[in-house]
Amino acid sequence: MLLAHPAVLQGIADEYRTLELLHADRGTEEVRQRMDDLAYTLCISTGTRDVDAALIAADLRLPGARVADDSLLPGA
């Protein structure tokens, strides 16, 4: 599986979310195509089949996504 650099993956996810918040899917053909391209790239980069799963997977791969504090775990 192709793994994007975390900075690149962050940029792709941020751009997709920004366009989504702006309801760009209702915009011009060019903007809709950009959203489709970003969704495809996210899916390929994360090994997923839909953009929602890709965004979650991207978030988990980004630095700081996992909490290192295990103080609430039994025996920690």
Side-chain angles (χ1 to χ4, degrees):
M1 173 175 60
L2 172 72
L3 293 177
H5 187 279
V8 173
L9 192 58
Q10 176 77 54
I12 295 167
D14 287 349
E15 184 178 353
Y16 183 87
R17 285 186 173 118
T18 299
L19 290 173
E20 189 175 48
L21 285 172
L22 295 172
H23 302 287
D25 56 333
R26 296 184 215 149
T28 66
E29 178 61 33
E30 183 178 289
V31 174
R32 288 193 308 267
Q33 182 61 52
R34 180 65 181 155
M35 283 190 76
D36 289 345
D37 291 346
L38 290 166
Y40 176 80
T41 303
L42 280 166
C43 289
I44 293 298
S45 298
T46 58
T48 58
R49 291 181 182 242
D50 72 70
V51 72
D52 292 326
L55 289 167
I56 292 168
D59 288 343
L60 293 174
R61 290 207 179 120
L62 296 172
R66 296 191 174 104
V67 177
D69 181 11
D70 62 354
S71 61
L72 295 178
L73 297 175

